Amino acid sequence: MPNYTFTLNGSSVTVDAPADLPLLWALRDKLGVTGPKYGCGVGVCRACTSHLDGAEIQPCVTDVSAVAGRAVTTIEGLADGDTLHPVQQAWVDMDVPQCGYCQPGQIMTAVALPARTANPTDADIDAIENVCRCGTYFRIREAIKQAAAQM
Ligand code: FES
Ligand code: FES
């Protein structure tokens, strides 16, 4: 099988995989990076949301061959050592998670949001499509507002 080399959370990694292997399986099964979660596998639930060159992607519908030579960031790569990213800190401050399953994807989407919209409105936040079965949407909204004010 071919090798694909890319940057993952600041380090170079190489995976031996079919070109059309979903990045999510390369991350979870070959590289042991389990922050991105499997929910639907078809790009709808967004539990797997991560970043490619700083923009959000859904690794379940991204071929591993498409990220060769590029930079992938997962929830594991957000903090700077012991210092949480402002979005992660807001999640802690607002006690956002319930079961937690969707939360890595929620946070990665929230991190990408201020890059598109400096001061997200309720409508901007409500347009986020990440699904939370536990209904943490209200706390997510408040955490995004707190983080945006600090970023
Ligand atoms: S598992 Fe990737 S969007 Fe649902
Ligand atoms: S916190 Fe349980 S699915 Fe979102």
Coordinates of all heavy atoms in Angstrom, one line a residue, residues 96-103 106 131-136 139-140, ligand 2:
V96 N -19.5 22.7 29.9 CA -20.4 22.4 28.7 C -20.7 20.9 28.6 O -21.9 20.6 28.4 CB -19.7 22.9 27.4 CG1 -20.5 22.4 26.2 CG2 -19.6 24.4 27.4
P97 N -19.7 20.0 28.6 CA -20.1 18.6 28.2 C -21.1 17.9 29.1 O -21.1 18.2 30.3 CB -18.7 17.9 28.3 CG -17.7 19.0 28.2 CD -18.3 20.1 28.9
Q98 N -21.8 17.0 28.5 CA -22.6 16.1 29.3 C -22.0 14.7 29.1 O -21.0 14.4 29.8 CB -24.1 16.1 28.9 CG -25.0 15.4 29.9 CD -26.4 15.8 29.7 OE1 -26.8 17.0 29.5 NE2 -27.3 14.8 29.9
C99 N -22.4 13.9 28.2 CA -21.7 12.6 28.0 C -20.3 12.8 27.4 O -19.4 12.0 27.6 CB -22.5 11.7 27.1 SG -22.4 11.9 25.3
G100 N -20.2 13.9 26.6 CA -18.9 14.3 26.1 C -18.6 13.8 24.7 O -17.6 14.3 24.1
Y101 N -19.4 12.9 24.2 CA -19.0 12.2 22.9 C -18.9 13.2 21.8 O -17.9 13.1 21.0 CB -20.0 11.2 22.5 CG -19.5 10.2 21.4 CD1 -18.7 9.2 21.8 CD2 -19.9 10.5 20.1 CE1 -18.3 8.3 20.8 CE2 -19.4 9.6 19.1 CZ -18.6 8.5 19.5 OH -18.1 7.7 18.5
C102 N -19.7 14.2 21.7 CA -19.7 15.1 20.5 C -18.7 16.3 20.7 O -18.5 17.1 19.8 CB -21.1 15.7 20.3 SG -21.5 16.9 21.6
Q103 N -18.2 16.4 22.0 CA -17.5 17.6 22.4 C -16.2 17.9 21.6 O -16.0 19.1 21.3 CB -17.4 17.7 23.9 CG -18.7 17.7 24.6 CD -19.6 18.9 24.4 OE1 -19.1 20.0 24.1 NE2 -20.9 18.7 24.5
Q106 N -17.4 19.5 18.6 CA -18.0 20.9 18.9 C -16.9 21.9 19.1 O -17.0 23.0 18.6 CB -18.8 20.8 20.2 CG -20.0 19.8 20.2 CD -21.2 20.3 19.4 OE1 -21.2 21.3 18.8 NE2 -22.3 19.5 19.4
V131 N -24.1 17.9 15.8 CA -25.2 17.3 16.6 C -24.7 17.0 18.0 O -23.6 16.5 18.2 CB -25.7 16.1 15.9 CG1 -26.7 15.4 16.8 CG2 -26.2 16.4 14.5
C132 N -25.5 17.3 19.0 CA -25.3 16.9 20.4 C -26.6 16.2 20.9 O -27.6 16.8 21.0 CB -25.0 18.1 21.3 SG -24.8 17.6 23.0
R133 N -26.4 14.9 21.1 CA -27.6 14.1 21.6 C -28.0 14.5 23.0 O -29.1 14.2 23.4 CB -27.3 12.6 21.5 CG -27.0 12.1 20.1 CD -26.5 10.7 20.2 NE -25.2 10.7 20.9 CZ -24.4 9.6 21.0 NH1 -24.8 8.4 20.6 NH2 -23.3 9.7 21.7
C134 N -27.1 15.1 23.7 CA -27.4 15.5 25.1 C -28.0 16.9 25.2 O -28.4 17.3 26.3 CB -26.2 15.4 26.0 SG -25.4 13.8 26.0
G135 N -28.0 17.6 24.1 CA -28.7 18.9 24.1 C -27.9 20.0 24.9 O -28.5 20.8 25.6
T136 N -26.6 20.0 24.7 CA -25.8 21.0 25.4 C -25.7 22.3 24.6 O -24.8 23.2 24.9 CB -24.3 20.5 25.6 OG1 -23.7 20.2 24.3 CG2 -24.4 19.2 26.4
R139 N -25.2 25.8 26.5 CA -23.9 26.0 27.1 C -22.9 26.2 26.1 O -21.9 27.0 26.3 CB -23.6 24.9 28.1 CG -24.5 24.8 29.3 CD -23.9 23.9 30.4 NE -23.7 22.5 30.0 CZ -24.7 21.6 30.1 NH1 -25.9 21.9 30.4 NH2 -24.4 20.4 29.8
I140 N -23.0 25.5 24.9 CA -22.0 25.7 23.8 C -22.1 27.2 23.4 O -21.1 27.9 23.1 CB -22.4 24.8 22.7 CG1 -21.9 23.4 23.0 CG2 -21.7 25.2 21.4 CD1 -22.4 22.3 22.0
Ligands
FES2 S1 -22.5 15.9 25.2 FE1 -23.4 14.0 24.8 S2 -23.7 14.0 22.6 FE2 -23.0 16.0 23.1

